[in-house]
Amino acid sequence: MTGKKEQGRRIAVISDTHGLLRPEVIRTVSTCEAVLHAGDVGTPEVLEALRSLAPVWAVRGNVDCDGLLQQLPQERFVTLFGFRIYMVHDKKQISPDQNRTDLVICGHSHRYEDTVCPTGRPEGRGGRHGGVLRHVGPEEERGALRHASPGNDRAANHLVIPGEERGVFRRLNPGSCGPRRFALPVTMMVLTLDEEEHRCAAERVDLISVPEKKNAKKLPTEQETDRLIRKVIREFGAGRTVAQIAAHTRAPEELVEDICRIYVTHPGVDADGIMDRMERKNL
């Protein structure tokens, strides 16, 4: 009697494309049955290209403020192969209503994450929530996912049990697969869902190689980068020079100069906007 063949439905999870759809992403998505995009799509063309490969569910990110992208929901509930999935761009915006889901998918930080969190105590906002909540029922799911695809034998190492039974949910962030931000990795995620046994394997996909440097400094967090940009803007507005700001913040003078240049040439831009423009230099 032969052993049971490993089975599963491959779901591509991506975020923060910022208008760039890499060939490596296209190749991976072409092996999957569906795509979940956690926001900051960047351009409608990205969604159009993805939809030519597989059904797509996406949410609106902080840069998706024009045209068709503005119509994307801020958050949404999706049911895929027996898994209840909640999507929102920024984990700070996680709704308390998500606490009966199996998986929470977010983006924004450009950092890959796979974390188990307690239900009823989301890390995001409390109380009322905004945006459009949309539940995709089983009939629509079956209609959208008609085409089967090959299974995957790699990195099957995680188990998901329904949230209300364990009091936990699993929060996933695929990282960014768009323009590279500073020295952060460029990544996406592939989920393999086993509906029968309710198992979920998450595979990290590194899209470009990042050589390790000896004695490399620890990368700043999203919050640290945000604080630095805001501090640079304040000091620049107070009349200090780039050299003075660099000395006071202990940041590289070249980085401070880039922040100040973007701030001057893009009136009204905020810290997120400055980071978005800086990362486009690192394609």
Side-chain angles (χ1 to χ4, degrees), residues 168-204:
V168 299
F169 66 91
R170 189 169 167 194
R171 189 178 69 219
L172 304 172
N173 187 328
S176 169
C177 63
R180 186 180 175 196
R181 173 173 287 178
F182 308 125
L184 290 174
V186 178
T187 61
M188 63 177 291
M189 178 184 292
V190 173
L191 299 179
T192 302
L193 305 181
D194 185 328
E195 184 174 10
E196 181 179 348
E197 297 188 3
H198 208 70
R199 292 181 180 271
C200 171
E203 174 193 353
R204 170 173 169 158

Side-chain angles (χ1 to χ4, degrees), residues 17-263:
T17 45
H18 289 272
L20 174 65
L21 190 59
R22 297 176 181 271
E24 299 89 348
V25 175
I26 294 175
R27 285 197 293 268
T28 301
V29 168
S30 66
T31 70
C32 298
E33 295 188 54
V35 182
L36 303 178
H37 196 308
D40 276 3
V41 178
T43 63
E45 289 75 17
V46 168
L47 286 184
E48 292 173 7
L50 290 171
R51 285 168 177 158
S52 71
L53 301 171
V56 178
W57 286 271
V59 291
R60 184 176 71 249
N62 52 285
V63 305
D64 299 325
C65 53
D66 296 322
L68 295 176
L69 298 183
Q70 194 174 18
Q71 300 175 22
L72 290 172
Q74 178 180 322
E75 54 189 345
R76 74 192 312 165
F77 288 100
V78 179
T79 299
L80 291 177
F81 307 113
F83 285 80
R84 297 158 299 180
I85 303 171
Y86 169 79
M87 299 174 62
V88 69
H89 180 57
D90 188 346
K91 67 181 181 182
K92 295 178 182 178
Q93 298 298 316
I94 292 176
S95 168
D97 291 345
Q98 58 68 42
N99 61 7
R100 292 181 64 84
T101 62
D102 300 309
L103 305 173
V104 171
I105 294 175
C106 54
H108 187 61
S109 69
H110 290 221
R111 294 173 182 272
Y112 189 94
E113 179 184 11
D114 185 346
T115 306
V116 175
C117 304
T119 58
R121 297 175 57 191
E123 187 170 332
R125 65 182 184 272
R128 297 172 60 188
H129 59 84
V132 178
L133 300 182
R134 180 169 177 269
H135 181 81
V136 180
E139 292 185 5
E140 184 174 355
E141 173 191 332
R142 286 194 294 270
L145 305 179
R146 294 188 300 270
H147 306 292
S149 64
N152 178 38
D153 295 331
R154 294 175 293 173
N157 57 3
H158 291 292
L159 172 68
V160 169
I161 298 176
E164 71 273 16
E165 295 180 14
R166 292 192 58 192
V168 299
F169 66 91
R170 189 169 167 194
R171 189 178 69 219
L172 304 172
N173 187 328
S176 169
C177 63
R180 186 180 175 196
R181 173 173 287 178
F182 308 125
L184 290 174
V186 178
T187 61
M188 63 177 291
M189 178 184 292
V190 173
L191 299 179
T192 302
L193 305 181
D194 185 328
E195 184 174 10
E196 181 179 348
E197 297 188 3
H198 208 70
R199 292 181 180 271
C200 171
E203 174 193 353
R204 170 173 169 158
V205 180
D206 288 277
L207 299 169
I208 62 174
S209 59
V210 181
E212 294 186 4
K213 297 181 180 180
K214 294 182 178 180
N215 303 320
K217 295 182 179 179
K218 183 180 178 181
L219 294 174
T221 65
E222 183 84 6
Q223 292 76 16
E224 290 169 343
T225 304
D226 182 79
R227 285 197 296 268
L228 172 62
I229 292 176
R230 293 178 188 280
K231 185 179 293 185
V232 168
I233 291 174
R234 285 197 303 270
E235 297 203 7
F236 183 75
R240 294 186 175 88
T241 66
V242 168
Q244 290 172 332
I245 297 172
H248 185 238
T249 60
R250 298 182 179 179
E253 191 167 322
E254 181 180 357
L255 175 59
V256 173
E257 185 176 1
D258 280 346
I259 294 172
C260 293
R261 182 183 300 112
I262 294 171
Y263 180 68

